[in-house]
Amino acid sequence: MSQLKNPAGAAVQSAVLSRVLSSLGGMVTEFEEQNPRRGWVRIDPARVREMARLMTDEQGARLATATGIEVRDGIDVLYHWALDAEQYVVTVKALAARPSLQIDSVGQDLPAALWIEREMHDLLGAEFRGHPDMRRLILADDWPEGVYPLRRGFKVPKTDPAGGRERKKWAGAPRPPAGPSASQPRGTRPGRTLINIGPFHPLQEEMEFFQLYCEGETVVDMDVRLSYNHRGVEELSTRLTWDQVPFLVERVCGICSHSHPWAYVNAVESLAGIQAPPRAQYIRTIVAELERLHSHMLWVGLAGHFLGYNTVWMWAWKYREPIMDILEQVTGSRIHYACVRVGGVRRDIAPDMYPAIRKAVDSIKKPMEMLTKAVLDDPVLHARLKGVGVLTKEDARRWGVTGPTARGSGLAIDVRRDDPHGAYDEVEWKVITQEEGDVFAKAVVRCLECFEAVKIIEQCLEKMPGGPIAVDVRQVPPGEGCGHYEAPRGETFHYVRSDGGAGPVRHKIRAPSYVNIPSFRASCIGQTVTDVSIILAAVDPCYSCTERLARVYDASTRRPLYGMDELLRLSRAKTERLKKEV
Amino acid sequence: MGWKTWGLKRSPWVYHVNVGACNNCDIEILELLTPRYDVERFGIVLVGSPRHADALLVTGICTRQAEPRLRAVYEQTPKPCVVFLIGACACTGGIFRHGYGMARPADEAIREIDPGAIIAYVPGCPPKPEAMIVGAVKALAAL
Amino acid sequence: MEIAAAVAASIGTLLVGFFSSWVDRKVTARVQWRVGPPLLQPVYDVAKLLAKETLVSRRALGRGFLAAPVVGFAAAAAAAAVLWLALLRPAEGFLGDLIVVIYLLTIPAIAGIYGALASGSPHAAVGASREMKLLLAYELPLILSALVPVVQAGRDPEVGATFSLGALVQFQQNAGWTLWSVSGLVAGIVALLCVQAKLTLVPFDLPEAETELMGGSVLEYSGPPLALLRLTRTLLLAIAPIYFATLFLGGMGDAASGWSWLALAGKYVAVLVLVVLVRNTNPRLRIDQAMKFFWFGLAPVAGAAVVLAALGY
């Protein structure tokens, strides 16, 4: 069990931490101030729910994520709370002691914790009392019980050579409370989602990612099955050295490929108290904003595709190409840049490349202007996107969403401002927010953020300092660190723990879509089926997660109604209908 | 195989199967359809069902959860067909090879159900769209 | 002899259809700043499909599933033969061949529906039900619009109302194209839109996806049956403008003269251009909107056109 330096009651330097400690009061057993922006607190595990309530209600904190780590006495659960307005991250530790490994579930009060507790149960075997839904989240259906990948002594279980055809069917979402006419339809069994109503297409069976349950045209419930892309990155990370990890984590997601390494590096640098040189910070920022540009333009194209504007898709991706080219020139690859390392960056940007960067960034100004204008003025898009998939500010807070999803709902949170790193506090830029929380708002946020990105890049090029691009890091001392970064989709959060060795002993990765996707339960419920595909797209989940992997079920009979291509068709049809009406 | 492949070479319809990828290869595949690369020039069309497909574009490391899907898709694809393993992950497992998420290499999974399967490897992380086009052209020419 | 001629007519129509299909894809590509496929691409597609294996789902009604494309293709080919007969040898056409052609042209759609339902896939079933609704919607205006040239011919005491395509063509040669009358113009527009629906092109392509092939209804087809479905579509793409030209644009004059072939080609291209233009510049309607459009929009209009024709306009 990691010992934090100060017992409860010791003197506190930071005002923020002091406020948190006094709010938590008697449950605190020890704490530590790592630096002016990071604090660590250990509490009595019996009072976790109270802590969660105090943090959200009194402190206005946001649950970024939670990490589970096996320690000698049990499983330590670390709740990472982001106090965005105060530019502080405080981690609250509570031990789920052996032998029971049980602790109260925070998820029963705070939706933002629902998935992460399921994940900790899957990967570590921690038990969360009172959690409403303890099904598997990210391990495969044929994963044996009792084998936990993040525990010591873990061995990979063999796969079934027959391809797992006999494996258990995944039990779908628990049924909503039965209405007056809820008789069991013939052939269904409680808890089963898929019914063989006769013929079925093998592709349509089971492998769906999103399951939406509807009554008539209205969505009443939603469920998500992960695991298709689960590659065990956190476990792999513990087998690598500090310097090798960025190559691994940049492949967590192809589009946020600069974001994950930077968040990781932030965590390590925070742990070790390293400060990367200014030139490295600027280079990191430039690459990051270029990534934001290409990611948002990609999203615009995909959104157009979902709505039926295929020309928009072709056009947005055509104008995205200069950004990809300049990224290749600057970093060596169109994607997967291998740019960041602990202590700095790997490659410099030669001054003779600055004009090329300026030119590339200039070339998208006009298309983005035309596009933004089109989005803001087009009456069909207004009719199609306004008021659709509304995520209220309150829901956004409770589900802990980040990024344009949050900023579109009026939550002005942006890690670039709330925890300054890189060059963000040395250049002028705005945090873009909209109030309505619908798909239109999120689209506007993304369009306008492109212009901010362009501004940031141009200022960085002007102000670029000279000097080294990295500091030499010989050893990472024992300790722990949290780092986060504003990826195009939202906050990427990394936690690392070191015991002074060659690599991390624990590395927690939380991608932005992980907190944004569950919020569909709030934004999809009550919406019509035709709008589902655009609502799913609005939080900009990774493409491969949503492609062809959504299905719609009838809520009462659990019969499959539509697949993804059907949803797309419905979505496009509605667009055209609106075109005629407008 | 002569006359059978004559049409195949000029009209390869592709179906994209993601079995555990980071999306990079998937996006680059989509980029092939966009104006800069425009693979419709070669008759390549992205179809919505494996039954219409002549080539499978497999990306990702073939996770435990997705492996049965890969087999099902392969069985559903009428022969003759070519399987393109796009990217380091599909070819060998790439950087995730030793992780617990990977079931087995994708080519092993396919060869288990069809030892005579035609498999083409397009390595890279991700392979550039030009590399994918070259890979496709070479594989089709070799048929 | 007749069979050889019929076969020749079908093949000829097919070739025309291939060309039209290529034009459609090329135009779409150009609109999207792309280059598009080569000229022979539709041929390659069919050749490729013929060489693939046929997969039939365990749950499908095998024989019906496989027979449906054959029936659809045969009907389309027969319709092509009848139309060409009317064009090339108007005097030899048989009475009622207009009705025969309209019937024949519905069979591919019905066969498609049957095949989709027999395939055993719930997705195909959804596509099939949409196609059924669309069929029910546009057949009435189509028939009504076809009545207009008949009624117009009926006003001429020498010809009398006739359902013979050949006679209608000859009537138009003498009295002027159907399109150049008020009722003819109205009926022509209605017919054009119905033809667009019969080809399941935008704005009426809801039974199928946006991709080249029909999405929902043909999901389960592969190999040669799919090739047949493709060929059927190709045939229809060629037949539809010819049908329109026959009824509304005077068909073709003397088959021996090259000039009338040129005229026919001109008419064909004009109609094709219209069809492709409508397809590329219009929104896609939802199925209930399409039905309303045909039942409450076009059908009364076509009915009015018939009345106008009877009154001499």
Side-chain angles (χ1 to χ4, degrees):
Chain A
M1 177 136 110
S2 69
Q3 297 287 55
L4 296 176
K5 284 204 186 111
N6 313 338
V12 188
Q13 293 238 346
S14 153
V16 183
L17 187 59
S18 162
R19 207 186 68 200
V20 169
L21 287 172
S22 63
S23 167
L24 294 176
M27 63 170 90
V28 177
T29 55
E30 48 185 12
F31 72 93
E32 182 174 330
E33 283 186 83
Q34 190 175 30
N35 61 49
R37 301 225 203 112
R38 297 286 188 269
W40 305 79
V41 180
R42 178 171 294 283
I43 62 162
D44 171 8
R47 299 176 70 177
V48 194
R49 291 178 71 180
E50 198 187 326
M51 176 270 300
R53 190 183 51 79
L54 289 168
M55 290 302 289
T56 46
D57 296 342
E58 281 187 22
Q59 301 297 318
R62 170 175 62 84
L63 182 67
T65 191
T67 305
I69 171 166
E70 190 191 18
V71 293
R72 195 192 55 207
D73 297 326
I75 293 178
D76 228 356
V77 181
L78 280 61
Y79 295 92
H80 306 284
W81 297 96
L83 293 150
D84 298 302
E86 290 91 348
Q87 301 188 340
Y88 204 86
V89 175
V90 59
T91 303
V92 179
K93 303 191 185 196
L95 178 71
R98 290 188 209 274
S100 69
L101 298 176
Q102 282 199 4
I103 191 169
D104 280 335
S105 159
V106 165
Q108 56 191 323
D109 307 315
L110 184 66
L114 282 172
W115 272 21
I116 192 64
E117 289 182 343
R118 277 169 75 183
E119 180 175 325
M120 286 192 275
H121 174 73
D122 248 358
L123 298 179
L124 285 160
E127 298 284 337
F128 292 91
R129 282 189 294 256
H131 193 287
D133 178 12
M134 247 321 151
R135 293 167 297 150
R136 276 211 186 291
L137 184 70
I138 56 172
L139 289 178
D141 291 330
D142 67 343
W143 192 268
E145 291 288 336
V147 178
Y148 301 110
L150 290 179
R151 289 225 203 146
R152 272 180 259 273
F154 159 71
K155 287 205 179 8
V156 182
K158 291 253 174 294
T159 46
D160 175 2
R165 285 184 206 282
E166 291 82 33
R167 74 184 188 282
K168 297 190 294 288
K169 267 190 156 74
W170 175 55
R175 272 170 178 267
S181 61
S183 54
Q184 292 281 2
R186 198 163 41 99
T188 60
R189 278 185 275 162
R192 300 269 157 167
T193 48
L194 275 174
I195 296 134
N196 287 1
I197 53 175
F200 61 88
H201 195 298
L203 276 191
Q204 295 156 11
E205 172 197 331
E206 292 189 312
M207 293 298 176
E208 52 276 23
F209 196 83
F210 296 109
Q211 293 183 346
L212 301 128
Y213 297 89
C214 8
E215 272 160 19
E217 285 280 304
T218 316
V219 178
V220 297
D221 198 6
M222 192 214 89
D223 197 16
V224 184
R225 177 64 167 128
L226 299 181
S227 176
Y228 300 95
N229 287 343
H230 186 62
R231 290 152 284 160
V233 177
E234 290 179 11
E235 198 260 333
L236 274 173
S237 185
T238 57
R239 302 199 224 162
L240 299 177
T241 67
W242 295 104
D243 215 28
Q244 289 173 329
V245 172
F247 293 108
L248 175 68
V249 293
E250 76 181 347
R251 287 160 173 82
V252 166
C253 171
I255 311 168
C256 298
S257 156
H258 183 70
S259 316
H260 281 289
W262 195 353
Y264 160 76
V265 157
N266 275 347
V268 178
E269 291 177 352
S270 165
L271 186 169
I274 303 168
Q275 188 65 346
R279 189 175 176 85
Q281 304 281 21
Y282 273 73
I283 293 176
R284 287 177 181 176
T285 309
I286 290 174
V287 175
E289 293 304 308
L290 283 171
E291 177 181 75
R292 194 179 312 278
L293 275 174
H294 103 72
S295 170
H296 283 339
M297 292 187 89
L298 185 142
W299 180 83
V300 165
L302 284 183
H305 182 53
F306 284 169
L307 287 176
Y309 288 101
N310 268 340
T311 336
V312 167
W313 175 30
M314 294 288 163
W315 182 78
W317 284 36
K318 173 172 134 103
Y319 284 108
R320 184 177 156 254
E321 287 297 321
I323 306 289
M324 309 302 285
D325 285 342
I326 198 67
L327 276 166
E328 188 174 6
Q329 270 190 283
V330 166
T331 63
S333 169
R334 287 158 60 92
I335 346 188
H336 290 332
Y337 316 117
C339 169
V340 194
R341 57 172 267 213
V342 178
V345 293
R346 274 179 216 282
R347 271 178 289 276
D348 200 356
I349 305 183
D352 56 6
M353 263 200 248
Y354 298 174
I357 302 177
R358 284 204 181 91
K359 184 153 162 266
V361 160
D362 251 348
S363 76
I364 63 135
K365 275 190 190 161
K366 263 215 145 49
M368 273 317 297
E369 273 168 21
M370 289 195 321
L371 190 74
T372 312
K373 203 165 174 322
V375 167
L376 289 178
D377 294 345
D378 187 335
V380 177
L381 278 181
H382 280 227
R384 193 77 180 76
L385 300 179
K386 279 202 171 192
V388 168
V390 174
L391 185 68
T392 61
K393 202 167 180 174
E394 190 44 47
D395 273 339
R397 226 192 284 274
R398 292 182 66 234
W399 286 93
V401 299
T402 65
T405 312
R407 293 195 282 280
S409 295
L411 281 183
I413 52 175
D414 189 322
V415 179
R416 295 174 288 172
R417 181 196 58 193
D418 300 334
D419 191 0
H421 47 246
Y424 290 112
D425 48 356
E426 297 180 25
V427 293
E428 292 263 325
W429 60 282
K430 290 199 308 278
V431 172
I432 310 281
T433 55
Q434 297 280 302
E435 290 303 314
E436 298 81 14
D438 52 18
V439 176
F440 187 78
K442 300 195 236 273
V444 170
V445 167
R446 288 193 179 95
C447 287
L448 295 180
E449 277 187 0
C450 288
F451 296 108
E452 297 302 310
V454 169
K455 262 202 297 198
I456 294 173
I457 295 172
E458 290 177 336
Q459 290 176 75
C460 281
L461 287 175
E462 268 177 42
K463 298 185 175 174
M464 182 81 97
I469 55 169
V471 295
D472 214 6
V473 178
R474 290 303 160 101
Q475 202 194 13
V476 176
E480 26 188 21
C482 295
H484 52 171
Y485 167 72
E486 183 79 16
R489 281 159 190 72
E491 178 202 43
T492 308
F493 195 97
H494 285 235
Y495 160 86
V496 286
R497 171 174 291 189
S498 160
D499 63 356
V505 296
R506 178 76 175 99
H507 182 182
K508 168 88 190 111
I509 303 169
R510 197 274 283 142
S513 296
Y514 195 85
V515 288
N516 290 340
I517 290 177
S519 73
F520 287 145
R521 293 205 75 184
S523 58
C524 271
I525 309 283
Q527 300 289 311
T528 56
V529 172
T530 32
D531 292 327
V532 158
S533 61
I534 192 63
I535 300 175
L536 293 184
V539 306
D540 197 5
C542 283
Y543 167 85
S544 74
C545 303
T546 46
E547 178 210 15
R548 289 195 209 98
L549 291 174
R551 295 198 68 205
V552 175
Y553 293 87
D554 184 272
S556 43
T557 63
R558 298 315 219 217
R559 286 171 178 223
L561 289 176
Y562 306 116
M564 190 64 185
D565 41 346
E566 194 69 19
L567 289 174
L568 287 179
R569 212 174 297 153
L570 287 170
S571 168
R572 290 180 190 119
K574 179 169 175 182
T575 308
E576 307 316 337
R577 173 173 56 92
L578 287 169
K579 256 195 193 158
K580 291 191 87 72
E581 287 174 9
V582 164
Chain B
M1 263 276 224
W3 73 273
K4 274 198 171 184
T5 55
W6 178 81
L8 197 65
K9 289 192 215 201
R10 285 169 182 72
S11 160
W13 289 353
V14 299
Y15 179 72
H16 171 223
V17 195
N18 177 319
V19 287
C22 77
N23 289 306
N24 248 327
C25 297
D26 307 317
I27 299 289
E28 299 285 76
I29 288 173
L30 275 194
E31 294 218 7
L32 291 176
L33 299 171
T34 57
R36 186 168 190 177
Y37 303 104
D38 187 24
V39 287
E40 205 191 355
R41 295 175 289 156
F42 308 119
I44 297 178
V45 167
L46 208 58
V47 292
S49 158
R51 294 195 193 232
H52 301 164
D54 308 305
L56 295 180
L57 299 180
V58 180
T59 58
I61 65 160
C62 197
T63 57
R64 299 174 76 109
Q65 185 79 341
E67 188 192 359
R69 181 177 188 235
L70 181 62
R71 289 170 197 268
V73 168
Y74 185 77
E75 282 171 359
Q76 294 285 315
T77 312
K79 314 293 177 286
C81 82
V82 184
V83 178
F84 285 97
L85 299 181
I86 307 268
C89 286
C91 293
T92 60
I95 204 170
F96 303 105
R97 190 185 175 81
H98 300 291
Y100 64 81
M102 179 158 167
R104 56 168 46 81
D107 52 356
E108 243 181 67
I110 291 178
R111 289 241 159 78
E112 263 183 20
I113 38 176
D114 180 5
I118 308 169
I119 301 183
Y121 301 85
V122 184
C125 186
K128 291 187 66 172
E130 289 91 336
M132 291 188 211
I133 295 178
V134 164
V137 166
K138 271 193 189 170
L140 294 173
L143 267 184
Chain C
M1 168 64 203
E2 297 303 332
I3 297 187
V7 168
S10 306
I11 294 180
T13 315
L14 206 55
L15 291 176
V16 172
F18 280 137
F19 177 73
S20 315
S21 169
W22 172 77
V23 165
D24 181 30
R25 281 172 77 169
K26 193 80 174 169
V27 167
T28 310
R30 282 296 181 184
V31 164
Q32 294 176 348
W33 295 275
R34 295 186 289 116
V35 172
L39 177 67
L40 286 180
Q41 193 59 45
V43 178
Y44 296 149
D45 289 344
V46 171
K48 183 260 323 236
L49 284 173
L50 287 172
K52 301 271 286 186
E53 64 175 358
T54 308
L55 291 178
V56 180
S57 163
R58 253 179 325 198
R59 317 265 174 169
L61 299 173
R63 269 177 290 190
F65 178 70
L66 292 175
V70 178
V71 169
F73 180 76
V82 172
L83 269 176
W84 277 113
L85 183 65
L87 279 179
L88 296 176
R89 300 191 229 163
E92 290 182 29
F94 56 92
L95 200 64
D97 56 359
L98 170 62
I99 303 180
V100 169
V101 166
I102 292 183
Y103 260 116
L104 283 175
L105 286 180
T106 54
I107 292 180
I110 297 176
I113 293 169
Y114 181 78
L117 292 172
S119 72
S121 151
H123 276 210
V126 172
S129 92
R130 293 218 168 127
E131 198 155 348
M132 260 192 286
K133 289 184 192 167
L134 198 63
L135 189 65
L136 285 172
Y138 71 70
E139 273 305 308
L140 182 61
L142 185 67
I143 294 172
L144 284 176
S145 69
L147 275 181
V148 167
V150 173
V151 169
Q152 284 189 351
R155 285 183 59 83
D156 185 331
E158 272 182 47
V159 182
T162 167
F163 286 100
S164 157
L165 276 171
L168 284 174
V169 165
Q170 281 184 318
F171 172 70
Q172 288 185 67
Q173 299 290 324
N174 301 329
W177 292 356
T178 313
L179 203 63
W180 300 148
S181 60
V182 173
S183 58
L185 186 63
V186 171
I189 296 174
V190 170
L192 194 64
L193 290 170
C194 294
V195 152
Q196 196 88 4
K198 186 164 277 299
L199 296 175
T200 44
L201 289 178
V202 173
F204 311 112
D205 68 338
L206 208 55
E208 55 184 75
E210 76 219 316
T211 54
E212 295 294 312
L213 271 181
M214 293 187 264
S217 345
V218 294
L219 197 62
E220 296 290 320
Y221 280 103
S222 54
L226 190 60
L228 269 181
L229 286 170
R230 258 304 180 101
L231 286 173
T232 312
R233 263 195 73 116
T234 314
L235 270 180
L236 284 177
L237 191 58
I239 290 173
I242 295 177
Y243 165 83
F244 188 84
T246 307
L247 276 185
F248 294 93
L249 296 178
M252 190 172 141
D254 183 8
S257 114
W259 166 246
S260 48
W261 278 100
L262 203 61
L264 181 68
K267 292 169 194 169
Y268 178 84
V269 167
V271 178
L272 183 67
V273 163
L274 268 179
V275 165
V276 171
L277 264 181
V278 170
R279 178 233 218 279
N280 271 310
T281 57
N282 265 286
R284 178 186 294 133
L285 290 182
R286 237 174 32 190
I287 191 65
D288 60 325
Q289 292 177 303
M291 286 179 75
K292 281 195 194 126
F293 178 68
F294 282 109
W295 277 64
F296 302 121
L298 288 191
V301 167
V306 173
V307 169
L308 281 176
L311 294 174
Y313 292 106

